[in-house]
Each structure stands twice: as C-alpha cells, then as structure tokens.
C-alpha cells in the first residue's frame, strides 16, 4: 500500500487531490495539512511514501518543508505541486531533493503518473518543464542548471531508450528485457513524451547524439 500525504493551504485543492488519488488501487491518503509546520510534523510522525506539497503557504514554505523532509525522513519521496513554472523554482526544488515537480494546471492523470513514476524510483517533471529542460540540455535555450535529461526517466525507460535507439521494435525490446511488447511500447511512449521527442527517428537521433548506441 502506497501512503500519500497532502500539504496545501487550499482546502479545495486538497479535497480534489484526495478524491482523485483515493480511488487508485493500492494507494491511501493518510493525512493532509494546510501549512508547512503541520505538514512537516505529520511527515515525521507518519513517514508516508509520498509527500505532495505546495510551494507557497503561510509560515513555513514548501521549499523549507522539502529541505527538512529530505534531511529528516529521506525515505519519503517529495513531489512539488505548484502553479510556478519558472526555472528558478524548478531548479531549486530539484536541487533540494524533490523527486517530482507537477504544475497545478495538470489534470489528475498526470499527477497519478507522477506518483507512479516517483514510487518506482524515477523522477517526474510536467511535460512543459521536461521539454524545456531537454531543449536546454541540447543547447536550444539558456542553461538549465543541474537538471539532466536522465533525471526525468526511470531506469527502465533509460534501458528502452538505448534499445529503441538501436532500432529495436517493441517485440524485440520486450524479448531483450523480458517484458511484454505492450509494456515496452508504453515505456517508449512515456519516455518520448518526457523528452519532447516526436517519432522514432527523433528518438534514434537523440540516442545517437547522446552517445547511447553501442558501437557496431
């Protein structure tokens, strides 16, 4: 059972999140708080698997909560849920140890996907942020600080990126990794979305440019 804690000063936001997440099998929202101090105390007492925290709250900010949780309860994975899409906020949150950053204009399915990704050991950025990050990495926009493209992919997605970059199809990838072709295709679609790639040719070019392909 994946335990989730919500910290946001808007009751309607917390209520909507609790309803959306509470229906996912194997997940339970174990608590909620409307300020940073209370949220940190709940994390330290309940030690949830996932903390979803807003950045701007009265008193203790979400960044302060994030910093304290990473230091005192490192087993809790933190997803920032914020209206702020500016690079400075994203970079600071990731530098402090956030495992995900989801914009508040996202729908429930995106937050659910973020929680699943983070629960599996990966990192998650909203598509807008991920696309901006990868463009920065490739030199299309100014430097994006310490954010690297591998930070937004799970271990499995990185494996599939290499194999797909070598030209393997979903069936061949599935055989290589002992997973179903449908699962392989789902991972491939997710990693392309995260990296802002459109089509297999762009994926293969990206893998080649990043030096991921085995020498033939």
């Amino acid at each position: 059972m994946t335990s989730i804690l919500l910290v946001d000063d808007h009751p309607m936001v917390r209520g909507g999140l609790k309803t959306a997440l509470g229906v996912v099998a194997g997940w339970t929202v174990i608590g909620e708080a409307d300020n940073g101090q209370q949220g940190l105390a709940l994390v330290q007492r309940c030690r949830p698997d996932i903390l979803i925290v807003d950045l701007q709250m009265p008193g203790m900010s979400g960044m302060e909560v994030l910093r304290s949780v990473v230091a005192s309860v490192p087993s809790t994975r933190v997803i920032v849920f914020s209206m702020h899409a500016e690079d400075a906020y994203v970079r600071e949150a990731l530098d402090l140890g956030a495992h995900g950053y989801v914009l508040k204009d996202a729908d429930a399915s995106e937050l659910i996907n973020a929680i699943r990704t983070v629960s599996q050991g990966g990192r998650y950025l909203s598509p807008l942020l991920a696309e901006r990050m990868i463009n920065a990495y490739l030199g299309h926009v100014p430097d994006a600080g310490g954010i690297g493209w591998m930070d937004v992919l799970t271990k499995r997605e990185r494996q599939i990126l290499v194999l797909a970059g070598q030209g393997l199809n979903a069936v061949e990838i599935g055989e290589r990794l002992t997973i179903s072709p449908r699962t392989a295709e789902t991972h491939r679609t997710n990693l392309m979305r995260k990296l802002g790639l459109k089509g297999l040719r762009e994926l293969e070019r990206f893998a080649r440019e990043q030096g991921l392909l085995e020498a033939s």
Side-chain angles (χ1 to χ4, degrees):
M1 183 68 73
T2 299
S3 56
I4 303 169
L5 184 68
L6 309 175
V7 181
D8 193 295
D9 62 332
H10 293 93
M12 290 184 64
V13 172
R14 295 198 312 274
L17 292 179
K18 189 172 183 179
T19 298
L21 303 181
V23 300
V24 179
W27 292 4
T28 179
V29 177
I30 61 172
E32 55 184 282
D34 62 4
N35 63 74
Q37 292 92 333
Q38 182 185 11
L40 178 59
L42 281 174
V43 171
Q44 293 173 336
R45 184 170 75 246
C46 303
R47 298 183 175 271
D49 297 311
I50 301 290
L51 168 65
I52 299 175
V53 61
D54 189 13
L55 288 184
Q56 290 191 325
M57 295 179 291
M60 190 178 202
S61 72
M63 291 294 189
E64 293 173 299
V65 172
L66 169 60
R67 182 185 292 109
S68 296
V69 168
V70 169
S72 61
V73 192
S75 61
T76 294
R77 294 179 172 269
V78 183
I79 296 175
V80 171
F81 189 56
S82 175
M83 61 181 289
H84 295 290
E86 295 88 341
D87 286 349
Y89 286 100
V90 180
R91 286 200 301 269
E92 183 178 2
L94 295 178
D95 287 344
L96 288 176
H99 293 84
Y101 198 112
V102 178
L103 298 177
K104 279 193 171 181
D105 61 1
D107 57 26
S109 63
E110 183 180 332
L111 185 57
I112 289 171
N113 189 26
I115 294 172
R116 285 183 174 142
T117 299
V118 169
S119 296
Q120 294 170 2
R123 294 179 183 272
Y124 186 93
L125 295 179
S126 282
L128 171 65
L129 305 178
E131 182 176 2
R132 199 162 65 204
M133 175 275 297
I134 197 62
N135 284 337
Y137 184 85
L138 295 175
H140 299 158
V141 295
D143 178 53
I147 308 172
W149 63 264
M150 286 196 297
D151 291 333
V152 301
L153 300 184
T154 65
K155 179 180 179 180
R156 179 67 82 192
E157 287 168 348
R158 292 194 294 270
Q159 292 173 329
I160 289 177
L161 172 60
V162 173
L163 297 176
Q166 294 172 9
L168 274 65
N169 60 36
V171 173
E172 293 167 329
I173 292 173
E175 291 175 349
R176 186 77 64 89
L177 299 178
T178 320
I179 58 178
S180 72
R182 183 174 181 179
T183 298
E185 186 173 353
T186 297
H187 284 305
R188 187 178 63 190
T189 299
N190 287 340
L191 73 88
M192 290 175 63
R193 175 182 53 76
K194 289 181 181 181
L195 297 178
L197 303 175
K198 297 178 176 62
L200 295 179
R201 287 189 178 181
E202 286 194 12
L203 186 154
E204 292 176 10
R205 183 171 66 249
F206 177 83
R208 183 172 59 253
E209 291 174 346
Q210 302 310 312
L212 301 177
L213 305 186
E214 297 175 354
S216 55

